[in-house]
Amino acid sequence: MNVVVLIKQVPDTTDVRIDRETNTLIREGVPSIINPFDMYAIEEALRVREGAGEGTVTVMSMGPPQVDVALREAIALGVDRAVLLSDRAFAGSDTWSTSYTLAAGIRKLEDYDLILCGKQAIDGDTGQVGPGVAQFLGVPQVTYARKLTIDDGSSATVERMLEDGYDVVKVPLPSVVTVVKDINEPRLPSLKGKMKAKKAEITVWGSDDLDVDQEELGLDGSPTRVVRVFAPEARPGGTIFEGEVEDTVESLVRELVPILKGDI
Amino acid sequence: MSSIEVIENLCVGCGLCVKACLYDAIEMVDGVAVIKDNCTLCGACVEPCKFDAIILRKSHRETVSLDDFKGVWVVAEQRAGEIHGVSFELLGRGRELADTRGAPLAAVLLGSNLGDAGRQLIAHGADVVYVVDDPALEHYRDEPYANAVAALIDKYKPEIVLTGGTSVGRSLIPRVAIQVRTGLTADCTALDIDDQEGLLLQTRPAFGGNIMATIICPNHRPQMATVRHKVMTALEPDPAREGEVIEEKLAAELFETSTEFVEFVKDETSTVNIAEADIIVSGGRGLGGPENFGLLEGLANALGGAVGASRAAVDAGWIPYSHQVGQTGKTVQPNLYFACGISGAVQHRVGMLSSRIIVAINKDPDAPIFKVATYGIVGDVFEVLPTLTKKLAAEFS
């Protein structure tokens, strides 16, 4: 069972802020991390390999050379191989071109049974690249997976999380499966893994290494464009009640009643 | 190939671009901005530069004849013939966009044994409803649904296509966008038409809601966007409204898939799910244990709301993951959100910041949750919640 995991290096977005006076981004000291949802995808891939008792796990990412750090972190967790798709020509890719490029990278791997990724990245929050890759590869997909069972090597049964429950879906392999946090509990890197990660060789492929149309790459191949970036509207300061429980609750109820009645 | 360039003799080394960069890709070298390899050409530095010293050149080619595309579409969502509320909301906003563009508003409805469900879409503002009714579409499966929507787009060439940002919508529509070779913007919170070129301005939060970005799709059609439930407002349905329902017959090959739908299992732990709820009562570490979630249920039941939770409560195993609000859970935007015993770490706040009214109950007056609260009570949740439930229940009994 050969599993490919698509990962993204993201800024730890919880720390990113806009300076409301200058309307610019404050990102001093914001660390880069592996997208949290991708950590569950890596863990699931390792479990699938362990369950099958054979096969490999390959992590793949598209990005600048700095993504090397994220790929080594994945190797430390037990991943066998890491591939970085990196080229100036990929810069400015939106989800269309990213899906296109990653699909070309996966095709070059030839032998793959399952492609896993997080349900979305925490910087863009689109959740579009997983389905996009599946479409480019012409394979089925299951998004928001909370449980994955490999049936017999040729199909998988997956629980897809929905707003009010879940679907049970059976897909042939290869397929793309995007995972939510509920699917597993990621392991920590081992000391041996960390040693291996230090020495590991990361495969780097540029646009010339892939079977791609140069015009479909990066900003040129991307249908969308960002025209404006700005700070969200600030929330006005609130009313905080302190004191005896009876009084504070009474004050709150007086505020909430007209809201609940739909008057405000 | 597109490129970005710093005009060195215009650059004064002020560093505004360094601050504006979303990716830490600009540095100052000898008083001049230098763009590094990890630049993504996003262009966020161009406008903040007060000296016009940064130029982004985008090479583009016309891929389609834009004038051939007309009309606004809403891809409706249904399960067992019941249309999802987000579809009606999109028709509400879609109606305004269509009127601005002087074009018709259409809905697409896929499924099996749909009866006259299409009429409801007309009552909510659609001029035309394209219905694909086929046994192969009984349950949602990505490939047949995506192929069908793509085939209809190819046939009718709409200018704008809107889809609900539900689990199903967010699975379906990216595949369609790839097939029809166009852009897609997820989870828009505002959709407007630009005065000059008539482009769809798609505004959405990014970086966990810390930043808003406006996105356009200038050279490809249709312009596609998803919008979450309860962001737009549905029109009052008018059963007498006139419109046309068109039954579409598509080639059977489009419905071929080896994906098998086995079953749908309803979440029995909640009667109201947080993604849909108008009122959410959430609890965190401060509740101390699963036995105390009954306090939240008491308030939620009194108000007809749903129960949510912080990551800490979910990780402790007090309540299932489907209730988790926040960065690694669900993003919610109810009318009224109660955060009880939740300190309000930024990972939680990004999941609920768009709620209209936020009520925080916490014994720590310095808890960050109070910074985003509309109303707050500094106090013990175990005392405040029962009292609050009793008083509100009395008001609404």
Side-chain angles (χ1 to χ4, degrees):
Chain A
M1 183 68 54
N2 295 322
V3 188
V4 183
V5 188
L6 301 176
I7 69 170
K8 183 177 187 186
Q9 188 182 49
V10 296
D12 198 340
T13 57
T14 54
D15 291 342
V16 179
R17 283 281 172 280
I18 274 200
D19 181 325
R20 287 183 188 281
E21 278 172 23
T22 59
N23 211 30
T24 55
L25 218 71
I26 309 164
R27 54 162 304 143
E28 276 130 39
V30 178
S32 287
I33 55 170
I34 295 181
N35 174 44
F37 291 108
D38 300 346
M39 296 298 279
Y40 301 97
I42 293 172
E43 176 63 32
E44 197 61 22
L46 296 174
R47 290 183 189 199
V48 167
R49 183 191 66 191
E50 286 157 7
E54 48 86 33
T56 58
V57 175
T58 305
V59 277
M60 182 179 283
S61 189
M62 185 186 91
Q66 294 89 313
V67 177
D68 183 88
V69 181
L71 294 169
R72 284 183 199 279
E73 210 181 303
I75 290 172
L77 291 166
V79 163
D80 301 291
R81 182 185 183 200
V83 180
L84 173 61
L85 309 182
S86 195
D87 194 315
R88 284 296 301 153
F90 302 154
S93 293
D94 70 0
T95 58
W96 199 98
S97 311
T98 304
S99 307
Y100 176 77
T101 309
L102 286 169
I106 293 167
R107 258 192 228 104
K108 192 176 162 87
L109 291 173
E110 288 176 7
D111 193 14
Y112 56 88
D113 302 302
L114 176 66
I115 298 142
L116 293 172
C117 55
K119 69 160 181 159
Q120 64 197 52
I122 60 165
D123 54 351
D125 278 329
T126 72
Q128 285 166 196
V129 171
V133 167
Q135 179 65 41
F136 274 119
L137 292 174
V139 302
Q141 71 190 37
V142 187
T143 50
Y144 309 106
R146 44 165 254 168
K147 190 171 179 208
L148 168 69
T149 313
I150 304 295
D151 301 325
D152 54 6
S154 66
S155 72
T157 302
V158 191
E159 292 181 8
R160 170 174 53 212
M161 205 168 130
L162 300 171
E163 285 80 1
D164 56 348
Y166 61 90
D167 275 344
V168 182
V169 180
K170 201 175 164 99
V171 286
L173 299 178
S175 281
V176 172
V177 176
T178 80
V179 306
V180 298
K181 179 194 146 193
D182 215 16
I183 197 165
N184 58 42
E185 189 128 337
R187 67 193 67 186
L188 294 169
S190 65
L191 191 61
K192 200 173 131 213
K194 285 184 183 169
M195 301 290 287
K196 192 181 159 210
K198 260 186 205 157
K199 289 182 293 190
E201 199 164 308
I202 309 282
T203 306
V204 181
W205 289 337
S207 60
D208 291 342
D209 299 310
L210 302 177
D211 181 16
V212 287
D213 177 346
Q214 297 287 332
E215 291 194 333
E216 306 286 17
L217 300 174
L219 190 61
D220 297 348
S222 296
T224 61
R225 259 192 98 170
V226 177
V227 284
R228 190 174 159 232
V229 176
F230 58 102
E233 244 175 72
R235 286 192 81 91
T239 312
I240 310 297
F241 305 110
E242 289 187 70
E244 289 301 314
V245 172
E246 276 293 324
D247 302 340
T248 55
V249 171
E250 188 57 43
S251 307
L252 177 63
V253 166
R254 235 176 288 133
E255 299 287 346
L256 292 183
V257 165
I259 293 163
L260 288 164
K261 287 192 169 150
D263 297 343
I264 298 178
Chain B
M1 193 173 130
S2 302
S3 65
I4 191 156
E5 191 189 342
V6 177
I7 311 295
E8 290 193 11
N9 56 11
L10 291 179
C11 177
V12 300
C14 69
L16 282 175
C17 55
V18 176
K19 286 191 180 162
C21 178
L22 300 158
Y23 299 94
D24 195 19
I26 308 180
E27 62 185 352
M28 284 296 156
V29 179
D30 300 331
V32 175
V34 173
I35 293 171
K36 299 192 284 186
D37 277 354
N38 58 324
C39 168
T40 68
L41 302 177
C42 75
C45 56
V46 176
E47 202 189 283
C49 177
K50 300 211 179 344
F51 307 93
D52 297 330
I54 302 179
I55 294 177
L56 177 67
R57 290 192 186 86
K58 184 180 155 84
S59 62
H60 80 256
R61 58 208 160 100
E62 291 279 305
T63 44
V64 289
S65 173
L66 305 185
D67 294 339
D68 293 346
F69 289 77
K70 284 201 171 62
V72 177
W73 277 21
V74 170
V75 179
E77 180 175 336
Q78 60 81 28
R79 189 163 62 203
E82 194 181 327
I83 295 172
H84 195 292
V86 72
S87 309
F88 299 135
E89 294 159 15
L90 289 176
L91 286 171
R93 185 66 187 139
R95 185 71 262 166
E96 293 164 341
L97 296 172
D99 292 345
T100 306
R101 294 295 290 150
L105 173 66
V108 175
L109 183 63
L110 311 179
S112 176
N113 286 321
L114 292 167
D116 61 354
R119 288 292 321 164
Q120 292 175 51
L121 297 164
I122 291 172
H124 280 88
D127 300 313
V128 184
V129 182
Y130 301 105
V131 175
V132 186
D133 196 322
D134 192 288
L137 301 175
E138 184 185 356
H139 299 290
Y140 172 73
R141 289 178 300 171
D142 299 285
E143 293 157 288
Y145 269 67
N147 294 343
V149 174
L152 293 176
I153 289 174
D154 284 342
K155 182 174 171 186
Y156 291 104
K157 301 191 185 330
E159 187 185 27
I160 292 171
V161 175
L162 309 178
T163 308
T166 58
S167 299
V168 164
R170 284 163 56 103
S171 301
L172 161 70
I173 212 68
R175 285 191 86 115
V176 175
I178 299 294
Q179 284 197 45
V180 301
R181 214 273 171 253
T182 194
L184 171 62
T185 307
D187 295 339
C188 296
T189 51
L191 294 170
D192 299 286
I193 302 287
D194 138 75
D195 298 339
Q196 275 127 41
E197 294 177 64
L199 289 171
L200 183 66
L201 301 173
Q202 307 158 71
T203 299
R204 71 181 301 264
F207 290 95
N210 288 312
I211 291 166
M212 302 298 292
T214 300
I215 291 163
I216 55 169
C217 178
N219 303 311
H220 297 74
R221 291 292 178 274
Q223 303 164 89
M224 294 180 40
T226 65
V227 179
R228 284 188 184 253
H229 192 16
K230 297 185 185 286
V231 172
M232 303 297 173
T233 311
L235 299 172
E236 207 48 55
D238 172 7
R241 215 175 164 281
E242 282 181 29
E244 193 183 357
V245 176
I246 300 176
E247 294 272 348
E248 290 288 333
K249 286 277 165 246
L250 299 179
E253 302 93 83
L254 293 174
F255 302 141
E256 279 170 17
T257 176
S258 35
T259 301
E260 196 186 314
F261 173 88
V262 181
E263 60 174 331
F264 167 68
V265 180
K266 197 163 167 50
D267 182 357
E268 298 297 350
T269 61
S270 59
T271 45
V272 189
N273 81 72
I274 58 172
E276 311 287 319
D278 262 333
I279 297 174
I280 297 173
V281 184
S282 280
R285 205 191 299 274
L287 281 166
E291 63 281 4
N292 298 324
F293 269 70
L295 292 174
L296 304 180
E297 278 160 26
L299 180 57
N301 290 342
L303 302 175
V307 173
S310 71
R311 175 171 182 165
V314 172
D315 284 355
W318 299 347
I319 186 165
Y321 171 62
S322 54
H323 295 260
Q324 186 181 321
V325 173
Q327 191 175 72
T328 49
K330 287 178 180 159
T331 304
V332 298
Q333 40 204 348
N335 204 19
L336 183 52
Y337 187 89
F338 291 89
C340 310
I342 294 176
S343 65
V346 69
Q347 288 87 345
H348 185 76
R349 298 203 308 263
V350 298
M352 44 68 86
L353 254 186
S354 317
S355 308
R356 191 167 81 91
I357 308 277
I358 295 171
V359 177
I361 303 168
N362 204 297
K363 63 179 181 219
D364 174 9
D366 297 323
I369 194 73
F370 286 118
K371 293 204 187 87
V372 297
T374 324
Y375 303 106
I377 290 184
V378 179
D380 184 345
V381 285
F382 300 113
E383 292 176 25
V384 173
L385 269 177
T387 315
L388 180 62
T389 306
K390 200 174 73 198
K391 283 184 191 281
L392 283 175
E395 286 285 342
F396 292 97
S397 61

